[in-house]
Amino acid sequence: MDVTFRIRRLNPEIPGKDKPYWQEFKLSDVEPTDRVLEMLHRIKWEQDGTLAFRRSCAHGVCGSDAMRINGVNRLACKVLVKDLGTKIQVEPILGLPVLKDLIVDMEPFFAHYRQVMPFFVNDTPLPEDGRERLQSPQDRERFDDTTKCILCACCTTACPSFWANGSYVGPAAIVQAHRFIFDSRDQAAADRLDILAEPDGVWRCRTIFNCTPACPREIEITKAIGEVKLAIMRGSPEGIIQVQDIQHEA
Ligand code: SF4
Ligand code: F3S
Ligand code: FES
């Protein structure tokens, strides 16, 4: 089948191409099961070697090829042509500065990630028998969903609150904070909740819900954000999502 790609381009080093513009590329012999990433490679290797985009694993693991494809944030390596049709529009994810073509500056995104202390904190000595810090399956389950994040930025760059105010930490950073806040072995939950209680923390989330369907890992992002909000209101991650408690308090 023939497929037309319409790609948003920009090259700050070339006069005349230093403002965003659209360019079309036609590809023939495309299989319905081809992925968008493979097609971008064909364009780059067969038609225009200057086309710039990030990718690494090509298997939905590294999170480096987030793009806005037919108006929706996706990983180019996970989207099949048959799910998009014969006209495919590709542009950079929104809300971050474009460096070149489909490549955005991820530094503001990772600055928010660093803000929430995305690392394990426990200063007590390890058990003397040399074993790991153990945890019950139930305690592990509590943050299982948010361990799946690959930091692709599909969620944060789909969030209108982030578009409106880039100082909002964004859903990806909250997901990362959630992973540690609800880990029974970690000791810095209170610090993270204080950080996220600041004006640019979780309260900038207006529950718009764009983030959850944008996640290629199918993480229940809005639910995780809600759990963090509740933990802040209660002053602790303990006892969250006890619906009967909420009903009693209401
Ligand atoms: Fe990507 Fe999902 Fe992580 Fe957001 S939560 S950065 S969409 S993997
Ligand atoms: Fe944004 Fe998701 Fe909240 S889209 S407003 S972070 S529910
Ligand atoms: Fe690694 Fe797509 S290239 S997730």
Side-chain angles (χ1 to χ4, degrees), residues 100-195:
K100 186 179 179 190
D101 294 339
L102 302 171
I103 297 177
V104 298
D105 180 1
M106 293 289 281
E107 181 47 33
F109 174 80
F110 284 113
H112 289 316
Y113 168 62
R114 290 192 293 271
Q115 258 180 288
V116 300
M117 303 171 62
F119 43 81
F120 184 70
V121 177
N122 188 326
D123 295 330
T124 57
L126 283 167
E128 285 187 2
D129 60 7
R131 300 175 75 184
E132 300 170 54
R133 293 185 174 88
L134 298 180
Q135 183 170 53
S136 71
Q138 292 76 18
D139 283 346
R140 177 62 178 75
E141 174 66 26
R142 203 165 174 192
F143 62 95
D144 187 66
D145 197 35
T146 46
T147 64
K148 296 185 298 189
C149 177
I150 54 172
L151 289 170
C152 67
C154 278
C155 56
T156 296
T157 60
C159 172
S161 287
F162 181 73
W163 298 339
N165 185 343
S167 57
Y168 168 38
V169 292
I174 302 170
V175 162
Q176 289 289 329
H178 179 283
R179 180 258 170 269
F180 293 101
I181 288 168
F182 295 101
D183 185 336
S184 59
R185 304 161 300 178
D186 186 88
Q187 297 178 329
D191 297 322
R192 294 191 195 89
L193 292 176
D194 282 349
I195 292 165

Side-chain angles (χ1 to χ4, degrees), residues 37 55-65 75 77:
L37 182 61
R55 77 287 194 196
S56 181
C57 71
H59 288 86
V61 177
C62 71
S64 63
D65 60 340
L75 299 177
C77 65

